[in-house]
Amino acid sequence: MSLPKISHTVFFWLKNPDSIEDRSKLVEGLKTLGQIEQVKAIHIGVPASTEQREVVVNSYQVSELLMFENVEDEKIYQSHPIHQAFVENCSHLWQKVEVYDSVAV
């Protein structure tokens, strides 16, 4: 199986972690990112009810995984108007964000 080479994984901790409304607003905002041409795949999720182990982090409320063909496409995504609008419209919802970018080997 061949996937795009760049993965952009983001974890969001909401200011109001128990708010279903805030979580829904963030998810809807994240869905708009799939409209960006350079985004080759998108997965939006919430913590799974998998076995709790010491190495499993599930303190976040929402996650996003985007896939890009190359670093240049990820850079275009960062400055794309849809991404900028997402940040402007949704950043008030989160208290913390962690981003993990990786390239396939």
Side-chain angles (χ1 to χ4, degrees):
M1 179 185 316
S2 179
L3 294 172
K5 294 212 178 276
I6 304 294
S7 69
H8 176 74
T9 308
V10 185
F11 295 93
F12 297 89
W13 284 262
L14 295 173
K15 286 182 182 174
N16 300 305
D18 297 324
S19 173
I20 299 300
E21 181 180 347
D22 285 3
R23 184 178 79 181
S24 294
K25 286 179 186 176
L26 179 56
V27 167
E28 288 307 309
L30 287 167
K31 287 180 179 179
T32 66
L33 302 177
Q35 299 170 29
I36 300 172
E37 179 182 350
Q38 288 74 20
V39 174
K40 300 305 178 195
I42 183 171
H43 176 273
I44 300 165
V46 296
S49 58
T50 53
E51 179 184 350
Q52 295 301 300
R53 298 176 291 135
E54 189 174 306
V55 296
V56 175
V57 176
N58 66 356
S59 60
Y60 64 94
Q61 283 74 51
V62 179
S63 66
E64 157 205 30
L65 169 64
L66 301 178
M67 303 291 293
F68 301 95
E69 291 296 338
N70 51 56
V71 172
E72 294 78 15
D73 283 355
E74 196 275 340
K75 185 175 181 179
I76 292 168
Y77 156 80
Q78 289 296 334
S79 60
H80 195 284
I82 292 175
H83 179 250
Q84 295 300 311
F86 161 73
V87 172
E88 183 177 326
N89 295 331
C90 294
S91 62
H92 70 281
L93 298 170
W94 61 72
Q95 66 174 330
K96 176 183 172 184
V97 176
E98 288 189 5
V99 178
Y100 298 87
D101 290 334
S102 63
V103 62
V105 294

